[in-house]
Amino acid sequence: MTEPTDRDPASTEAVAERRDEVVARVADHAGTIARELALLHGGDYGKRSFETERGEWTVKYEAGALQFLLFDGGRTETYVVSTKHPPDPNALATAMEDYDAFVAAYNDYVGSLSGVLDDVADEFPEVASTESVVAERDRVLGAIRDAADRMALELSRYEADEYGTFAARVDGTRWELKWDVDGASYLRVGGEGGVYLLSQYEQPSARDVRRLAGDVSGFVAAFNDHVEDLDAGLSTVSLDP
């Protein structure tokens, strides 16, 4: 039977400490590259790779901070800096032999961008104002709103209810007025998915106003016909026995 050896297991403490020192210094140095890349690309999140003669280095950053630094030497991949676990010392040593080349590749990349915007124009044509278009649109919509609110008032009086809708077809297109205690809630043209000529949320485009404004009178006429029909119906009611 083999007796246990009296030899003590070798300690890895010194190697691990040295590895951690190297990783910490690389993390600090490559962290600067990560911040510069985030600044250059205008985002907090991203990833970029740099080619060297020995392999490829990939920098990934989130919120402007280095997430990992990966060295792909062809046969193996080494996460020189990672949020998960430290690299193998031998793999780290191999990767660090190419680290200067990685930094040089990054510097060449930044250098290639020098002057790229020198000839880009920074003077632009004057931007046209929409003020007059908006004012005219609002003027037309104001008149439509007045008519719709008047119809809403009449409907509320007749229906004796705080909410309701009135719909009619104008040249084959469905127009729907929804009303509540405050007046017209919306005026929609074209059914579901149609154009909201009046709405509590947003204004229609000037093109839609121009296209549909001419048919508002047809909708008002349909409403008036509806009221006349109601009046005619009530006029025939008799309380005589």
Side-chain angles (χ1 to χ4, degrees):
M1 182 174 180
T2 304
E3 294 293 331
T5 180
D6 293 332
R7 184 178 300 174
D8 293 333
S11 173
T12 63
E13 182 177 357
V15 176
E17 286 182 355
R18 178 55 182 160
R19 176 202 59 200
D20 293 346
E21 289 177 1
V22 173
V23 170
R25 293 183 63 184
V26 173
D28 183 64
H29 189 270
T32 301
I33 293 177
R35 289 191 294 274
E36 293 295 334
L37 288 173
L39 178 65
L40 177 64
H41 294 294
D44 287 339
Y45 304 88
K47 181 170 65 174
R48 188 166 188 88
S49 297
F50 300 90
E51 298 285 346
T52 67
E53 290 185 0
R54 294 189 180 185
E56 181 181 76
W57 291 79
T58 300
V59 180
K60 183 179 180 181
Y61 53 90
E62 293 185 9
L66 179 67
Q67 285 298 294
F68 69 67
L69 176 64
L70 171 67
F71 173 65
D72 183 354
R75 296 182 182 178
T76 59
E77 292 183 343
T78 302
Y79 283 88
V80 177
V81 178
S82 171
T83 58
K84 296 182 179 180
H85 53 76
D88 175 80
N90 286 325
L92 175 62
T94 299
M96 291 308 298
E97 292 176 359
D98 196 51
Y99 187 78
D100 284 354
F102 154 61
V103 177
Y106 163 77
N107 288 341
D108 288 344
Y109 166 67
V110 175
S112 70
L113 300 176
S114 178
V116 70
L117 298 176
D118 288 351
D119 297 328
V120 175
D122 56 5
E123 295 182 0
F124 310 104
E126 184 178 352
V127 177
S129 172
T130 63
E131 182 178 359
S132 62
V133 177
V134 171
E136 186 63 12
R137 179 195 63 188
D138 291 348
R139 182 189 68 79
V140 175
L141 288 178
I144 297 174
R145 169 66 69 179
D146 290 342
D149 284 343
R150 180 60 186 274
M151 286 188 281
L153 174 62
E154 298 298 335
L155 287 165
S156 178
R157 290 170 58 187
Y158 170 76
E159 299 288 349
D161 199 346
E162 294 181 347
Y163 306 92
T165 59
F166 169 75
R169 288 196 172 274
V170 180
D171 291 335
T173 300
R174 177 183 171 85
W175 287 58
E176 181 179 86
L177 171 67
K178 182 177 181 180
W179 48 272
D180 56 31
V181 292
D182 296 322
S185 178
Y186 69 69
L187 177 59
R188 184 175 64 198
V189 184
E192 293 290 337
V195 175
Y196 283 84
L197 199 53
L198 297 177
S199 169
Q200 296 176 330
Y201 302 104
E202 61 182 12
Q203 299 280 53
S205 70
R207 292 183 182 276
D208 284 335
V209 173
R210 178 182 177 85
R211 177 171 59 87
L212 298 172
D215 291 331
V216 173
S217 59
F219 181 62
V220 175
F223 172 81
N224 291 340
D225 290 342
H226 173 68
V227 173
E228 288 181 7
D229 290 342
L230 294 175
D231 183 59
L234 288 174
S235 66
T236 61
V237 175
S238 174
L239 299 180
D240 295 332

